[in-house]
Amino acid sequence: MHGAPVEDQPFEAARKAIWAAPPNEVISVAAESLDRHAGVVDAEVLVIDYRQTFLVRTLSTGDDVPVDNTPPGRAFASQRTVREDGGGLAHLPLTVKGERIGVLSVRLPDGGPPWLDDFAGVLARALKIADQATDMYRRMRRRTRLTLAAEMQWDLLPAPAYQSSELCFAGQLEPAYAVWGDSFDWATSVGRFTLTVSNGMGSGTESAELTHLAISALRNARRSGGDIVEQAELADEAVFGRHRGERLVDALLLEFALADGRVRAIDAGSPMIHRMRDGAAERLGFEAQMPLGMFGDTRYVPQEFAVEPGDRLVIVSDGVHGARSPAGALYAEAGLLQAMRATRLQEPPEAVRTMVRHYVGFHEGAAPADDAVIVCVDWTGPTPEVAARKA
């Protein structure tokens, strides 16, 4: 039995050290491993804050780093290693299956080890897992205190981004530190990708609790093997059973067939969906059905449409498309399509960040009247293997 090649031994030692580290020590162990096995000094991990506007330092003191117009920010936004002229500084994105966790910044001696990119991948995965076992990284990410409703919503959320061979997805809540009822949920399984954008009626913790109930019911049906019809009907029954029609949840449910791009949709409320294809944007309209919780025995009927490689879907809650500027202009008419076109060359995570920034700017310094969610899905199509089997 042969050992690892000599050039791989430092990487293997560093990798094993990361995986052996307690959850709250992953970052410090990573920095120590780089120093010991690669001679890398001044290693720093910067994690993205909840609003995705700043990279927060974890090992050193000093100001947080803006994502916009900084070398670490460019690495985060472009998902490419950025090297600074002079000093040997390099910034590597930390990403897991499309979810952007932050940036690894290092000062490299003589260009650094050839395995640094692989090390960043291992570190990103370790941080993703460690986050489930310690509050440390969530404390680091918040630049101000979350409201109780926002804490509930962020605990409910799945990963804010995902990438596969068929699609790339990203979503963001606003205001990130004080959101209440708007949310999204997604899951991938054999042959399909399911996405829900929802908005619980009201504000504060009551709205967050309402959304929590609806999403839990949707997940219960989905994890029991139910399609989006069964998911909507169980959530309708659960919300009605608790509130007897007095409190409702608006929702848009989408189920993508990964093999051919067919999408089944149930429009149960106010979220709005646009499709961008060949540079043109259009709103996709569906037959409006009852919000979840209206009657408790609603029979939902899915409608279908198709996505093609290169299509982008943008889904927004009523806090976005119904927003008005201080002068009274409606965002759905005066800003939304402009924001979508401005981000057409960006990947979904960066497009969502840009659209949130545009949405906030539309209010000209005033606080938005409602919370909001923006979701973006790029369809790239099935893998060649799947397409060949289908043919």
Side-chain angles (χ1 to χ4, degrees):
M1 182 175 179
H2 300 287
V6 173
E7 63 270 17
D8 291 341
Q9 290 174 3
F11 169 68
E12 282 300 307
R15 181 185 66 80
K16 290 178 180 178
I18 288 178
W19 287 119
N24 59 307
E25 296 180 14
V26 169
I27 290 177
S28 59
V29 168
E32 292 168 4
S33 296
L34 285 172
D35 185 8
R36 181 181 304 113
H37 300 293
V40 171
V41 296
D42 297 333
E44 172 72 293
V45 172
L46 301 99
V47 293
I48 192 67
D49 84 308
Y50 279 87
R51 202 176 187 187
Q52 298 207 8
T53 54
F54 282 87
L55 290 160
V56 181
R57 299 183 185 276
T58 62
L59 291 175
S60 64
T61 59
D63 294 336
D64 297 336
V65 180
V67 172
D68 296 330
N69 303 316
T70 65
R74 286 196 295 275
F76 179 84
S78 68
Q79 289 295 285
R80 294 181 177 87
T81 297
V82 172
R83 296 178 181 269
E84 294 191 51
D85 294 333
L89 274 176
H91 310 284
L92 295 84
L94 299 173
T95 308
V96 180
K97 295 294 289 183
E99 180 182 359
R100 301 179 176 188
I101 294 172
V103 171
L104 170 64
S105 293
V106 293
R107 192 176 300 278
L108 300 173
D110 303 323
W115 44 264
L116 194 56
D117 285 342
D118 292 332
F119 179 87
V122 171
L123 176 57
R125 291 192 294 274
L127 287 172
K128 173 71 174 174
I129 295 171
D131 187 55
Q132 305 305 310
T134 176
D135 289 337
M136 177 178 173
Y137 308 112
R138 300 187 192 201
R139 289 202 306 269
M140 290 175 173
R141 289 180 58 209
R142 56 191 70 189
R143 302 185 69 244
T144 187
R145 184 166 182 165
L146 268 69
T147 63
L148 178 56
E151 191 80 55
M152 294 168 65
Q153 287 293 66
W154 281 103
D155 274 350
L156 184 64
L157 280 181
Y162 171 73
Q163 187 167 7
S164 69
S165 57
E166 296 90 0
L167 58 86
C168 182
F169 154 86
Q172 178 65 12
L173 307 180
E174 179 64 29
Y177 291 89
V179 68
W180 54 88
D182 285 13
S183 191
F184 61 84
D185 191 35
W186 64 268
T188 184
S189 59
V190 177
R192 67 182 180 182
F193 177 83
T194 304
L195 171 65
T196 304
V197 176
S198 55
N199 175 20
M201 183 178 176
S203 61
T205 56
E206 289 186 351
S207 180
E209 288 173 349
L210 183 61
T211 298
H212 203 296
L213 174 61
I215 290 180
S216 296
L218 292 167
R219 287 176 175 174
N220 180 257
R222 188 185 72 220
R223 291 167 181 172
S224 298
D227 63 9
I228 58 171
V229 173
E230 294 168 88
Q231 294 167 34
E233 291 178 354
L234 180 60
D236 177 58
E237 179 182 343
V239 175
F240 181 82
R242 176 68 178 84
H243 296 286
R244 314 308 297 179
E246 295 181 358
R247 298 181 66 81
L248 310 173
V249 176
D250 292 324
L252 177 66
L253 292 78
L254 302 174
E255 187 177 78
F256 294 75
L258 299 180
D260 59 11
R262 299 298 303 176
V263 185
R264 302 172 77 214
I266 292 177
D267 183 353
S270 63
M272 183 184 292
I273 180 171
H274 285 80
R275 177 173 59 197
M276 292 190 67
R277 175 179 290 173
D278 298 328
E282 63 172 329
R283 180 183 174 186
L284 300 182
F286 305 109
E287 179 183 346
Q289 301 183 63
M290 294 296 105
L292 307 179
M294 178 72 81
F295 298 113
D297 59 357
T298 302
R299 294 295 172 256
Y300 291 95
V301 179
Q303 297 173 265
E304 289 194 1
F305 67 99
V307 285
E308 299 176 358
D311 281 359
R312 165 168 290 180
L313 302 179
V314 175
I315 304 108
V316 297
S317 65
D318 62 347
V320 178
H321 65 74
R324 291 188 179 275
S325 70
L330 186 66
Y331 189 65
E333 298 174 352
L336 179 57
L337 294 181
Q338 178 186 350
M340 289 172 55
R341 294 189 185 100
T343 59
R344 64 187 182 278
L345 298 180
Q346 297 176 336
E347 296 293 323
E350 190 63 14
V352 167
R353 252 186 19 93
T354 301
M355 282 190 279
V356 168
R357 190 165 60 245
H358 187 276
Y359 161 78
V360 172
F362 179 77
H363 291 82
E364 301 175 11
D370 197 0
D371 59 343
V373 61
I374 298 176
V375 165
C376 180
V377 180
D378 280 2
W379 177 257
T380 52
T383 62
E385 292 80 5
V386 171
R389 286 199 302 270
K390 187 174 183 293

